[in-house]
């Protein structure tokens, strides 16, 4: 069978009908299988007339619009015929704004500690890209790329920053710990195809574990700047996850209010929470692993801004560092 064997030109009215037929129950994970003609098509514009290239191979189905079992609360195709969830897609742009700034701000710390730190925010650019692709298409491939990229950023974060004192007893050093994280991540990546609807919940469990580890670390901390950063990180995460849960489970309520944008707001809040949380974790790591560099916390663009981006300054001079 040819890849684009069936090229079907469909009038706009027919497309709209197909969209409606193919639309799933909003805010639900359960799949209501849309007609094949709808799911296995990619929508294009040809001389202003929408046309659909129907794909014959099953593999191509994973790229098909709305082939994911997940459909967020925002109305599909409300603002564009090519973008399924417009606001959710556009809000993912925040990844491209915050990531380069964080890359720049964390450079002095990364140079001193490990240049691999830069990979975190480099990979966040891909998380943003995949998130845009997912919400633009609601395709199964988009969902897997979105979720697996988050999993690999988390894995990198654990390898770089998980406190040595909490390593399992059979782990000798950070290198062996990273190998263990890599093995767990590979197994999790493969298992994520078994029940894709469970992936997002597994990822949120990692977030809970990070939160728990932070609370343990903070119990003995008296530094007001560090405590403030911890409170802000947890507060932003709590706001973000409330939006995610509310969009997932409270969609009918938000539809009545005609406000279906909570998932987009989650994107914005979780990126800022990650900037705050990861800087806090990196600061705790620096205090333990490179104490001679005298790490401190500051905010960009101005230190007294309530919602500035946090970063690590190293107050130890090169001389001091060499001496230690
Ligand atoms: C010692 C461990 C250090 C870990 C450092 C933190 C590394 C940051 C890791 C991940 C970044 C999160 C990026 C979120 C992208 C959101 C994309 C998205 O919206 N995807 C949804 C579908 O569109 C999907 O349903 C979401 C699934 C849940 C994702 C859970 C992410 C966990 C985020 C952990 C953030 C830590 C913040 C710490 C605050 C104290
Ligand atoms: Ca939707
Ligand atoms: Zn999303």
């Amino acid at each position: 069978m040819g890849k684009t064997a069936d090229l079907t030109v469909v009038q706009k009215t027919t497309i709209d009908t197909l969209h409606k037929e193919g639309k799933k129950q909003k805010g639900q994970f359960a799949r209501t299988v849309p007609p094949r003609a709808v799911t296995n098509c990619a929508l294009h514009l040809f001389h202003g007339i929408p046309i659909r290239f129907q794909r014959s191979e099953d593999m191509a189905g994973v790229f098909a619009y709305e082939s994911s079992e997940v459909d967020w609360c925002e109305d599909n195709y409300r603002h564009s015929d090519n973008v399924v969830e417009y606001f959710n897609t556009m809000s993912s742009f925040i990844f491209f704004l915050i990531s380069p700034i964080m890359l720049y701000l964390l450079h002095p710390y990364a140079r001193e500690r490990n240049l691999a730190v830069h990979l975190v925010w480099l990979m966040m650019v891909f998380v943003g890209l995949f998130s845009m692709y997912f919400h633009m298409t609601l395709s199964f491939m988009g969902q897997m790329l979105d979720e697996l990229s988050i999993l690999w950023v988390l894995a990198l974060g654990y390898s770089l920053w998980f406190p040595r004192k909490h390593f399992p007893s059979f782990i000798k050093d950070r290198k062996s710990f990273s190998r263990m994280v890599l093995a767990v991540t590979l197994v999790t990546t493969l298992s994520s195809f078994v029940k894709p609807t469970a992936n997002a919940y597994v990822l949120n469990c990692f977030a809970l574990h990070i939160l728990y580890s932070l609370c343990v670390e903070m119990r003995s901390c008296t530094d007001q700047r560090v405590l403030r950063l911890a409170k802000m990180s947890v507060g932003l995460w709590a706001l973000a996850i409330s939006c995610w849960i509310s969009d997932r489970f409270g969609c009918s309520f938000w539809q009545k209010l005609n406000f279906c944008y909570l998932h987009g707001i989650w994107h914005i809040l979780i990126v800022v929470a990650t900037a705050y949380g990861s800087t806090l974790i990196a600061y705790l790591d620096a205090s333990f692993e490179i104490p001679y560099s005298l790490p401190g916390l500051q905010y960009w663009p101005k230190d007294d801004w309530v919602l500035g981006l946090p970063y690590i300054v190293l107050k130890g001079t090169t001389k001091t560092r060499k001496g230690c």
Side-chain angles (χ1 to χ4, degrees), residues 131 135 146 263 266-267:
S131 173
H135 291 291
D146 174 296
H263 187 81
W266 141 270
H267 284 158

Side-chain angles (χ1 to χ4, degrees), residues 86-132:
Y86 192 81
F87 185 73
N88 287 347
T89 305
M90 292 307 160
S91 59
S92 302
F93 201 75
I94 185 80
F95 287 86
F96 307 132
L97 291 183
I98 302 284
S99 302
I101 301 177
M102 289 309 292
L103 268 169
Y104 167 73
L105 292 177
L106 284 178
H107 183 62
Y109 158 74
R111 202 178 41 197
E112 190 61 36
R113 176 76 175 91
N114 185 348
L115 280 176
V117 164
H118 282 322
L119 284 177
V120 172
W121 286 99
L122 277 176
M123 284 167 77
M124 285 293 274
V125 174
F126 286 92
V127 176
L129 208 65
F130 295 142
S131 173
M132 279 187 127

Side-chain angles (χ1 to χ4, degrees), residues 100-171:
I101 301 177
M102 289 309 292
L103 268 169
Y104 167 73
L105 292 177
L106 284 178
H107 183 62
Y109 158 74
R111 202 178 41 197
E112 190 61 36
R113 176 76 175 91
N114 185 348
L115 280 176
V117 164
H118 282 322
L119 284 177
V120 172
W121 286 99
L122 277 176
M123 284 167 77
M124 285 293 274
V125 174
F126 286 92
V127 176
L129 208 65
F130 295 142
S131 173
M132 279 187 127
Y133 172 62
F134 172 43
H135 291 291
M136 185 181 157
T137 59
L138 285 192
S139 63
F140 178 73
M141 182 55 88
Q143 181 197 339
M144 295 310 283
L145 287 172
D146 174 296
E147 291 169 346
L148 289 176
S149 59
I150 300 171
L151 175 70
W152 283 87
V153 182
L154 281 166
L156 178 65
Y158 270 80
S159 306
L160 287 170
W161 292 320
F162 192 74
R164 254 194 285 166
K165 56 182 176 218
H166 298 312
F167 283 176
S169 52
F170 59 90
I171 296 286

Side-chain angles (χ1 to χ4, degrees), residues 29 70 72 95 120 124 127 131 134-135 143 146-147 149-151 153-154 156-159 161-163 199-201 203-204 206-207 210-211 213-214 230 233-234 237 241 244 248 263 266-267 270-271 273-274 276-278 280-281:
F29 268 119
V70 184
W72 302 92
F95 287 86
V120 172
M124 285 293 274
V127 176
S131 173
F134 172 43
H135 291 291
Q143 181 197 339
D146 174 296
E147 291 169 346
S149 59
I150 300 171
L151 175 70
V153 182
L154 281 166
L156 178 65
Y158 270 80
S159 306
W161 292 320
F162 192 74
N199 295 349
Y201 300 102
L203 290 171
N204 277 317
F206 283 111
I210 295 172
L211 233 65
S213 311
L214 267 182
S233 309
V234 176
W237 173 82
I241 196 70
W244 190 88
R248 186 77 282 156
H263 187 81
W266 141 270
H267 284 158
I270 196 65
V271 175
T274 301
Y276 273 63
S278 62
L280 171 62
I281 292 165

Side-chain angles (χ1 to χ4, degrees), residues 26 71-76 84-85 138:
K26 285 178 200 135
D71 186 347
W72 302 92
C73 193
E74 185 184 347
D75 274 348
N76 296 355
V84 184
E85 294 178 334
L138 285 192

